[in-house]
Amino acid sequence: MKQNKCFSSWKYKLKQMDLYVALFAFNVLLIRYSECGAKTNIYDVRDDVTIREGKQTFFSCTVEHFDSNRHVVRWLDDNLQILSKADRFDIDGAVVNDGGDFRSTFTISDVRRTDARSYTCQVYDVINNEEVSVSKPIQLYVLEIPNERYPICDKSSIFEEGVPVEITCLSEKTDPKAKLTWSKNGEELTSNINEGTNNDEQVQTYTFTPTSSDDEASFHCSLKTEADVSLQRNCTLHHIRVRFKPKVTVMGETSFVGKESVFICHITASNPPVDTYKWTTHPFIPSYRYQAGDHTFRLFKPELSDNGTRITCSATNSVGKTFNSTIINVKERSIQPILPTTGTQTDPNGNRQSGTEKSLSYIVFISIGVVLCLLIIMLIPIFYIQCCKNSWDFLGREIVQPDVYFEPKDRILPQLPEGDENVRWMRSIGVQVPQDAELAYIYHEIRENQRSGSSNSSCTRL
């Protein structure tokens, strides 16, 4: 019993000693931590950036346990050059939480191709002159835009028919590569297209053999880029000129013995214009039998022996000479006598009609038409005289018609009918009065004996 108590006492003392040792170790660690401070780390670093040339971008990182008294945040490029504020660069930072974390931002405005590199965020201890922490590299990818002067098309726009030519379109060599497309009169060309490079330029060529149908055609080169899908530029070869030989066609009709025949040398197209014409015959026809001009060949009196003769017209310009031929087809002339029309004819309804009756009908229709015209001519002056007779007196003088009529206040009434006398017309007198006249001097008092008038008159005069 006494032995158990002793064992329990020693066990208790050992537990006390373990507790003291643990407290001692904790104090040592606490002191050590306070002397060295918490470790500074960088987190929340932005990922790689892809940006179009000319735009603005930024990089950022956050520093844990940042001590503003001894720490600074610096930004370095892949050449370990320390970047500072400049025309296009800006560096800014601020504490972002209660724990003292510090966030730094590096901004690039107007991104250029030379800015395409990697960047790192570094925490530097200015007291001990040593690097405390550094972030992972952040890569900047710049989407390049071709210079504004591109695309550039060929300046030459004069070609010759049948001679293969190449037209080229140039763009600046960029990353990503620009897309060049040729089109003719608005239709995209997909064949005979070749791509290549020349120093710092991207080249696209279109090979073709011009024909006369290509004259006045237009070729367009279009530039597009994945860096900016809204960007589209063009250059144009406006209305190219194709030099070609004349296009000749000889035209003529069937010839008849003894009747003059004319053949025409028709030029459908020529660039440049025709310089000279030449007519030839095979077999040979003596020159006194025809007249040859630039465009016409006149055979005066064709003969049966001329049948099957080949007539050729050749036209020449500065590009070359072309020709075209036709064969003379000579026939005998058939002469049919012209007989007077007699007997009967059939009208459209199938009725037979004699020639004399038909002529008589024409004469009747013509006579009726002449009489109607004369009648109309005679009625016109009569109608005119009847309509306008009140405007002229018997001496041919014009009777002026007043524009304004005034009815006098004292209207003169005709004498009333008496007995078996005929009823007379009652009328008022219209007097034309100037606008600026004094009415008092125009109207005069009419006496009673003047008012009655004569019984034999139809109206009373002033």
Side-chain angles (χ1 to χ4, degrees):
M1 190 72 181
K2 192 174 182 178
Q3 186 177 359
N4 291 336
K5 289 182 178 181
C6 184
F7 178 75
S8 299
S9 176
W10 277 101
K11 187 177 181 180
Y12 174 75
K13 290 180 179 180
L14 287 174
K15 287 183 177 180
Q16 280 188 330
M17 289 180 64
D18 291 340
L19 180 60
Y20 291 150
V21 171
L23 290 173
F24 177 76
F26 176 76
N27 290 331
V28 171
L29 291 175
L30 184 62
I31 293 171
R32 181 64 178 172
Y33 178 79
S34 62
E35 290 178 353
C36 298
K39 185 177 181 180
T40 303
N41 294 317
I42 297 176
Y43 68 98
D44 193 19
V45 180
R46 188 179 183 186
D47 294 332
D48 295 343
V49 178
T50 301
I51 192 70
R52 200 197 85 176
E53 182 179 5
K55 295 294 185 178
Q56 176 178 299
T57 189
F58 70 93
F59 309 96
S60 62
C61 67
T62 304
V63 181
E64 185 181 21
H65 305 305
F66 180 80
D67 186 355
S68 60
N69 294 323
R70 61 189 305 169
H71 295 155
V72 293
V73 178
R74 303 189 303 187
W75 286 92
L76 290 75
D77 60 13
D78 52 6
N79 295 322
L80 300 181
Q81 293 182 352
I82 302 173
L83 304 174
S84 59
K85 289 187 176 182
D87 293 338
R88 299 185 301 111
F89 298 156
D90 185 36
I91 300 175
D92 195 10
V95 176
V96 294
N97 54 37
D98 296 337
D101 292 354
F102 183 83
R103 184 177 182 82
S104 177
T105 303
F106 172 52
T107 303
I108 303 177
S109 60
D110 188 18
V111 174
R112 300 176 182 174
R113 301 178 187 181
T114 55
D115 297 330
R117 63 185 72 177
S118 61
Y119 298 87
T120 55
C121 172
Q122 181 194 65
V123 180
Y124 191 77
D125 189 335
V126 296
I127 296 177
N128 297 328
N129 292 326
E130 62 180 1
E131 178 186 284
V132 176
S133 181
V134 64
S135 69
K136 68 179 182 67
I138 307 172
Q139 183 66 42
L140 175 62
Y141 299 98
V142 179
L143 301 176
E144 300 173 354
I145 303 293
N147 191 281
E148 292 183 356
R149 67 190 186 98
Y150 293 100
I152 300 176
C153 291
D154 267 338
K155 298 299 182 183
S156 176
S157 59
I158 301 178
F159 310 107
E160 190 166 314
E161 184 179 30
V163 180
V165 296
E166 280 188 354
I167 55 176
T168 61
C169 180
L170 303 179
S171 176
E172 187 179 13
K173 192 185 298 183
T174 57
D175 183 19
K177 184 173 69 173
K179 181 181 179 182
L180 298 174
T181 304
W182 275 110
S183 62
K184 175 185 175 182
N185 295 334
E187 296 184 4
E188 183 177 346
L189 301 171
T190 57
S191 59
N192 301 325
I193 302 293
N194 297 307
E195 295 185 358
T197 57
N198 180 18
N199 297 328
D200 294 332
E201 292 180 323
Q202 177 183 340
V203 183
Q204 180 157 303
T205 60
Y206 171 63
T207 305
F208 71 107
T209 302
T211 63
S212 58
S213 61
D214 294 323
D215 193 38
E216 297 292 331
S218 295
F219 292 84
H220 303 268
C221 178
S222 174
L223 181 149
K224 296 181 181 179
T225 176
E226 295 178 358
D228 185 358
V229 294
S230 64
L231 176 67
Q232 180 173 350
R233 303 181 193 148
N234 300 279
C235 64
T236 305
L237 284 175
H238 287 289
H239 307 300
I240 68 169
R241 299 310 310 269
V242 178
R243 293 162 46 88
F244 54 90
K245 301 176 185 178
K247 309 296 180 182
V248 182
T249 302
V250 177
M251 300 184 298
E253 297 180 351
T254 301
S255 302
F256 294 95
V257 174
K259 184 179 180 181
E260 181 180 284
S261 294
V262 178
F263 299 89
I264 299 174
C265 185
H266 180 59
I267 306 299
T268 57
S270 179
N271 185 26
V274 176
D275 297 325
T276 59
Y277 294 86
K278 185 178 181 181
W279 289 93
T280 58
T281 61
H282 182 77
F284 175 75
I285 297 178
S287 59
Y288 67 86
R289 294 189 54 207
Y290 66 85
Q291 180 183 9
D294 286 345
H295 295 277
T296 58
F297 181 91
R298 303 167 65 90
L299 184 60
F300 299 132
K301 294 182 177 181
E303 301 173 356
L304 287 177
S305 59
D306 297 329
N307 190 45
T309 301
R310 181 183 296 274
I311 299 180
T312 301
C313 173
S314 60
T316 306
N317 63 9
S318 60
V319 178
K321 179 174 69 173
T322 55
F323 60 89
N324 187 255
S325 303
T326 188
I327 302 297
I328 300 178
N329 183 16
V330 182
K331 293 183 178 181
E332 287 279 4
R333 285 196 296 174
S334 59
I335 302 175
Q336 297 180 353
I338 301 175
L339 301 177
T341 302
T342 59
T344 60
Q345 297 179 354
T346 303
D347 61 14
N349 296 325
N351 300 320
R352 302 182 66 84
Q353 183 180 6
S354 65
T356 305
E357 292 176 355
K358 188 174 182 179
S359 301
L360 183 60
S361 300
Y362 287 154
I363 294 174
V364 171
F365 288 142
I366 293 173
S367 300
I368 293 174
V370 171
V371 171
L372 289 176
C373 291
L374 293 175
L375 183 61
I376 292 173
I377 293 174
M378 294 175 62
L379 290 177
I380 289 175
I382 297 173
F383 178 76
Y384 178 78
I385 294 172
Q386 290 296 325
C387 292
C388 305
K389 65 181 180 178
N390 294 330
S391 299
W392 306 86
D393 60 11
F394 67 95
L395 295 178
R397 293 174 299 181
E398 182 180 4
I399 301 174
V400 179
Q401 301 296 322
D403 296 330
V404 181
Y405 288 89
F406 291 89
E407 183 175 340
K409 193 170 184 181
D410 296 332
R411 188 170 63 176
I412 301 175
L413 299 176
Q415 185 177 3
L416 296 176
E418 296 179 358
D420 296 330
E421 294 184 5
N422 295 329
V423 179
R424 298 181 178 85
W425 291 97
M426 294 180 63
R427 66 178 64 182
S428 299
I429 297 176
V431 180
Q432 184 176 6
V433 181
Q435 294 181 358
D436 55 351
E438 297 182 7
L439 301 180
Y441 295 96
I442 293 177
Y443 296 97
H444 299 276
E445 182 179 358
I446 299 176
R447 296 178 181 177
E448 188 66 27
N449 58 351
Q450 292 178 342
R451 189 178 183 86
S452 60
S454 174
S455 60
N456 294 327
S457 62
S458 60
C459 61
T460 302
R461 299 181 180 176
L462 287 177

